[in-house]
Structures are given as structure tokens and as C-alpha cells.
Amino acid sequence: MINEKVIEVKDLVKKFGSFVANDNLTFDVYRGEIFGFLGANGAGKTTTLRILSGLSKPTSGDVRVAGFDIYRHAERVKRHIGYMCQKFSLYEDLTVAENIMLYGGIYGLPKKLIEGKTTELLESMDFTAYRKRIIGDLPLGMRQKLAFAVAILHDPDIVFLDEPTGGVDPITRRQFWEMIYKASADGITVFVTTHYMDEAEYCDRVSIMSEGRIVDIDSPAGLKDKYRCATVQDVFVKIARPSNNKTG
Ligand code: ATP
């Protein structure tokens, strides 16, 4: 992890009508960091993720991603990030190779480069035999690993992962996280939401959100120490409950 801010968020507010989905969020994320964004269902995680990815505008606040102001340069932000959601990241009726070609084209990579990257990627993942297989026929874990590889095909500064391992078995989740570590070591910042608390333990830092607000941000060890808990799961149960905010 390098001491260079790639995401800078100050007093971010996002309202839907009178409902406040993101309530004055302030945080920074660093280059190469694996940043876990946790919160119960409806806490406001996807809302933030969509703003940071340039897909939605904040109601107010300062947000810079990969050095670009999100209000003025959302299109530039999009060129510097990768995005992967829980489902529908790849086209189910296209083959593995066709998906990689398609996304490479969307990211503006030259055809020759995409062809080279496709071979390299499939070899490194031991997927060469699946090159011509239809995505929809592959197991979920395999699809998700491939979707992650595709999300970083263009060497983005940051990759946003929204519950990438939902429904994936523990062994494949572990392999998925090996890919995350490699991306981080290569200098890609990984911004990940998850409901799996074992995965939260793998992050460099974790933000825990409740009812639109960030309750705390720290390393897993720092959080466990502060709240006198054995696991991040115990910390989460202690501080992420909605009633927590109401009682202060
Ligand atoms: P989950 O873990 O279930 O994915 P989340 O933390 O990602 O939850 P969000 O999807 O960000 O939560 O939603 C936060 C709140 O904002 C929810 O109450 C949701 O109903 C509301 N919300 C999200 N998008 C909209 C929208 N376009 N219009 C109105 N309300 C919305």
C-alpha cells in the first residue's frame, strides 16, 4: 500500500427525496489498499459505490477519484476504474473469449493487446480449456473470478467490487481473494463490499456503515482492539446495528 490518496471523500451526502442514503461520509482510500466497505442491508454501500464510480451524482460534498473531481470529470473517472457487481457482470450468452474481447473493446484497448491479454489471462487462471465455453454454462465461482479478471483488464487505478463473492463456495472465495491480493500488490486499489466477515479480516482497512453513516474505519486488528472483540464479525454485530445510531 502506498501513501497516495486515490479516493478522497469529504462530507458526502446522497438523498433520495427526503431519505438520506449517505449521511456526511468522510474518508480516504490509498493506492494499492484493500478497503472493505461493510454495512447491513440498506446501510448505503451501493449508493456510495455508484457515486465513486461516476454512475450517480452526490447531493453534496467533495469527491475525488483517481485524482478527478466526480462532478466535473465523471467520464474520466470511468476510464480509471473497474467495476464488478454480484450478478450480470459478464454476458451469459457469449463465450469466455468473446466476453474478454468485448470488455477490452469497451475499455478502448487495441485488438492485438486484447488478444495477448486474453491468452495470458486464461493461462494464468488455468482457464484455457474454457476459452470457447458459453459463460452461462460455467459455475458461478468461475464466472466471478473471470469477471474480476475482466474488471482489471485495462489496469485501472481502482476496482470496485460490489458483493463479488455472494453465493460462491469457500474454496473459490479464497481463490478470488488471492486474485485480489495480486491486484493490490500490482498497485490497484480494491474497494470491496461484502457480507462475509471472514473476508473483512483480509482487508487492510474496513469501514463499517449503519443507516447511511460510517460508524468507524480502521484495520481489522485496530477495530478488534478498540471494541474488545475476537473477530470483525463481533465488531460488526456490536456497532453496525441500526439501533446503534439511534441510541448514539
Ligand atoms: P445491500 O447490502 O442490501 O446491497 P446497501 O448498503 O448497498 O444494501 P443501498 O443499496 O445503498 O444499500 O441502499 C441504501 C438505501 O437507499 C436503501 O434504503 C435503499 O432503499 C435506498 N435507495 C437506494 N437507491 C435508491 C433510489 N434510486 N431511490 C430511492 N431509494 C433508494
Side-chain angles (χ1 to χ4, degrees):
M1 191 168 90
I2 301 164
N3 203 13
E4 176 198 344
K5 292 175 187 174
V6 290
I7 300 177
E8 298 166 76
V9 177
K10 193 161 183 294
D11 302 325
L12 166 64
V13 174
K14 177 69 180 183
K15 293 184 185 173
F16 297 110
S18 61
F19 178 76
V20 184
N22 283 171
D23 192 356
N24 262 289
L25 307 187
T26 296
F27 61 93
D28 297 321
V29 184
Y30 297 89
R31 181 168 300 280
E33 185 172 27
I34 303 175
F35 189 79
F37 206 54
L38 311 184
N41 291 126
K45 304 179 297 293
T46 301
T47 302
T48 313
L49 217 89
R50 286 177 55 77
I51 290 170
L52 297 179
S53 315
L55 299 172
S56 158
K57 286 268 183 291
T59 306
S60 62
D62 299 327
V63 181
R64 291 181 74 80
V65 177
F68 300 107
D69 179 287
I70 204 82
Y71 295 93
R72 288 186 295 138
H73 299 300
E75 289 313 311
R76 284 201 204 167
V77 166
K78 284 180 200 164
R79 268 184 259 143
H80 287 261
I81 63 161
Y83 187 94
M84 175 188 165
C85 54
Q86 188 180 351
K87 285 177 189 145
F88 315 122
S89 273
L90 297 174
Y91 287 88
E92 302 223 336
D93 52 351
L94 296 182
T95 66
V96 168
E98 285 166 347
N99 263 286
I100 302 172
M101 287 305 288
L102 177 76
Y103 276 97
I106 291 170
Y107 296 140
L109 303 180
K111 196 163 177 270
K112 270 263 165 291
L113 182 67
I114 305 171
E115 280 166 4
K117 274 184 176 272
T118 304
T119 305
E120 197 182 299
L121 185 156
L122 294 178
E123 271 173 18
S124 72
M125 295 176 76
D126 256 347
F127 279 8
T128 305
Y130 298 92
R131 193 182 181 101
K132 291 185 179 164
R133 290 278 296 274
I134 300 287
I135 287 290
D137 293 341
L138 299 179
L140 176 67
M142 208 172 189
R143 267 186 275 163
Q144 293 304 83
K145 283 197 282 183
L146 200 61
F148 177 67
V150 167
I152 58 170
L153 195 65
H154 54 310
D155 298 321
D157 289 302
I158 305 149
V159 63
F160 293 98
L161 309 174
D162 198 359
E163 294 183 38
T165 55
V168 174
D169 71 72
I171 294 167
T172 314
R173 284 207 287 125
R174 187 64 221 174
Q175 293 167 345
F176 191 93
W177 274 81
E178 294 297 338
M179 293 176 75
I180 289 183
Y181 286 140
K182 178 163 186 320
S184 157
D186 289 343
I188 298 177
T189 300
V190 180
F191 190 102
V192 57
T193 76
T194 180
H195 287 296
Y196 295 112
M197 291 300 137
D198 59 325
E199 296 187 344
E201 302 272 358
Y202 306 151
C203 296
D204 291 314
R205 279 189 308 149
V206 164
S207 156
I208 298 183
M209 217 172 164
S210 176
E211 294 185 319
R213 294 192 200 149
I214 291 176
V215 186
D216 211 338
I217 300 182
D218 206 337
S219 63
L223 286 170
K224 287 185 273 190
D225 194 42
K226 192 182 298 176
Y227 295 98
R228 298 177 185 280
C229 292
T231 63
V232 174
Q233 165 137 343
D234 293 341
V235 175
F236 185 86
V237 170
K238 204 167 190 172
I239 71 175
R241 274 177 302 179
S243 59
N244 201 64
N245 274 352
K246 284 178 195 135
T247 57

